[in-house]
Amino acid sequence: MKHRAVTAVFALIVLVFAGCGSNNKNISFKIALDADIPSLDPGQSYSYESVQVTNQLTEGLVAFNGAGEVVPALAREWRQADALTSVYEVREDVVFSDGSPMTMEDVLFSLERTRNGEDGTYYADYLGEVARLSAEGWRLTITLSRPSMVFKYNMATNAGRIISKAYYMA
């Protein structure tokens, strides 16, 4: 029943936008949340509402697909080389919403910030097993201090979101 209601609402939205025509430039679409969000910073987004927003604004090296599997996102590919080592081949063509290119410095900054719990990020424990982050070109290698069955999943949460270092510092 719930699936039918969602499908009906989506169909109504499509019909409304289709009927508006391309000449109307003043179309807006609003979605309400049932609570205010504390921050647009993915490291400080812990509530259901805030995660819904930050998921629209940021991405990680990996993400969950519809089956709950970890798949590449900002990484072209990734692999677990051994029990302690994960390797991410990071895409070179990513730009942030302000048009600036994502660099490996942004990737390292974002993950170090989360790992160290800087500025009140909530996800430091998610990267608690990380012993070392290293980059060579567009390849990121993460070495763990001990094997972890959940680390690959943690990287697909807000703990693994990449933000612009320059924007954050400003």
Side-chain angles (χ1 to χ4, degrees):
M1 184 69 166
K2 184 177 179 182
H3 178 69
R4 287 184 185 162
V6 170
T7 302
V9 168
F10 181 72
L12 179 61
I13 291 168
V14 169
L15 288 172
V16 167
F17 279 106
C20 290
S22 61
N23 293 332
N24 189 344
K25 304 292 186 210
N26 297 320
I27 297 172
S28 64
F29 182 70
K30 297 178 183 179
I31 298 176
L33 297 172
D34 63 355
D36 289 334
I37 61 172
S39 175
L40 292 176
D41 182 342
Q44 296 181 355
S45 296
Y46 57 88
S47 68
Y48 172 80
E49 295 81 14
S50 60
V51 169
Q52 299 311 304
V53 174
T54 58
N55 283 352
Q56 301 300 314
L57 300 173
T58 61
E59 267 190 289
L61 299 175
V62 293
F64 294 112
N65 68 11
E69 300 163 328
V70 177
V71 296
L74 295 179
R76 287 184 284 107
E77 60 184 66
W78 76 278
R79 68 186 183 286
Q80 189 169 344
D82 58 47
L84 298 177
T85 310
S86 295
V87 180
Y88 301 83
E89 302 294 340
V90 180
R91 291 177 28 209
E92 300 174 35
D93 60 346
V94 176
V95 295
F96 291 111
S97 59
D98 66 358
S100 64
M102 180 186 77
T103 66
M104 286 303 287
E105 185 178 359
D106 296 312
V107 173
L108 291 169
F109 167 79
S110 298
L111 297 175
E112 285 288 359
R113 176 178 170 253
T114 299
R115 180 170 81 126
N116 295 329
E118 293 175 20
D119 303 320
T121 61
Y122 291 100
Y123 298 97
D125 289 343
Y126 284 51
L127 303 184
E129 293 91 5
V130 174
R132 187 169 56 103
L133 299 163
S134 61
E136 183 178 320
W138 288 94
R139 176 178 291 150
L140 173 70
T141 302
I142 299 178
T143 307
L144 304 180
S145 59
R146 63 179 182 267
S148 171
M149 293 180 66
V150 298
F151 177 74
K152 71 178 183 178
Y153 301 105
N154 290 347
M155 286 294 289
T157 69
N158 271 14
R161 297 293 174 151
I162 306 303
I163 61 173
S164 165
K165 179 180 179 181
Y167 184 82
Y168 178 83
M169 299 305 270

